[in-house]
Amino acid sequence: MGLLDFLTSTKRPPSGTPQLAPQEVLNKLMSLNRPTAPYRLIDGTSENVDVIAEWRIVDAQWHEVFSKAGLSKTFRIYLKLDPAKHEVRAVDREYTLEWSAGVPKLSVAVSSFRGQKQEIEFGTAYAFTETLAPGQVYNYRFSTKEIKQPIQDAVTGCGWTYQGVAFGKL
């Protein structure tokens, strides 16, 4: 274990784990897709990476929850295989747009992040519902561990290192 592995989200395989071929690592990563997962993995060729893992905030099921909270958020992990080192290099990117509108004002705030992120975020709100009865309007939970852990386990299970990149080139 490296000195900064905790800070960079780096995970190494147990010693003696056989190192699989790059295509097998890609297949293992893509096999993590399932309809009930709060994330999805897609081909990253358009972004010059091998795979992009993204939180399903943009999906219709999750979008309504975040829009009710006045929050538009995109969280992605960009993954690039380095066959020479048997490692998958990963960088997190997050973009957030918060908005609120009132009679006298409209406010917008935009932020972005690149590096390694370990975060748990949740929110809920109660108000009058469509039936005019008090009730829960939205409830959400976001944890970077829910998306990173399965990816790290898949990579290390293939005998490769999951190398988190905070600074520098992916």
Side-chain angles (χ1 to χ4, degrees):
M1 179 176 216
L3 184 62
L4 299 176
D5 285 358
F6 172 74
L7 295 175
T8 62
S9 298
T10 298
K11 300 289 182 197
R12 300 178 192 286
S15 63
T17 305
Q19 295 176 333
L20 301 181
Q23 188 58 51
E24 292 178 272
V25 176
L26 286 173
N27 292 344
K28 183 75 167 175
L29 287 170
M30 297 310 279
S31 75
L32 295 174
N33 281 322
R34 62 186 195 285
T36 58
Y39 57 84
R40 68 180 180 162
L41 285 89
I42 58 173
D43 178 29
T45 308
S46 64
E47 298 280 341
N48 296 321
V49 296
D50 295 305
V51 177
I52 298 173
E54 63 183 4
W55 194 253
R56 289 184 183 256
I57 295 169
V58 295
D59 283 3
Q61 169 188 349
W62 296 97
H63 181 72
E64 183 178 342
V65 170
F66 279 86
S67 65
K68 283 182 182 177
L71 183 67
S72 175
K73 185 178 217 172
T74 302
F75 180 79
R76 289 178 153 189
I77 302 174
Y78 291 78
L79 304 164
K80 189 161 183 80
L81 276 67
D82 185 347
K85 294 182 180 178
H86 289 96
E87 66 182 26
V88 175
R89 297 177 57 78
V91 67
D92 301 349
R93 290 190 185 156
E94 180 182 79
Y95 305 97
T96 305
L97 171 65
E98 294 181 56
W99 55 272
S100 62
V103 175
K105 71 173 187 167
L106 171 68
S107 66
V108 177
V110 178
S111 66
S112 67
F113 173 84
R114 181 192 187 277
Q116 292 298 309
K117 190 166 214 168
Q118 293 165 21
E119 171 185 38
I120 296 174
E121 181 179 316
F122 54 90
T124 189
Y126 292 89
F128 290 105
T129 63
E130 294 169 350
T131 62
L132 300 179
Q136 189 175 54
V137 179
Y138 68 82
N139 183 12
Y140 73 91
R141 181 176 179 272
F142 168 75
S143 171
T144 55
K145 187 175 182 175
E146 286 182 57
I147 189 170
K148 281 187 180 188
Q149 188 73 52
I151 294 169
Q152 290 169 336
D153 291 347
V155 169
T156 58
C158 293
W160 288 45
T161 298
Y162 178 95
Q163 179 67 50
V165 177
F167 304 103
K169 188 177 178 182
L170 184 62

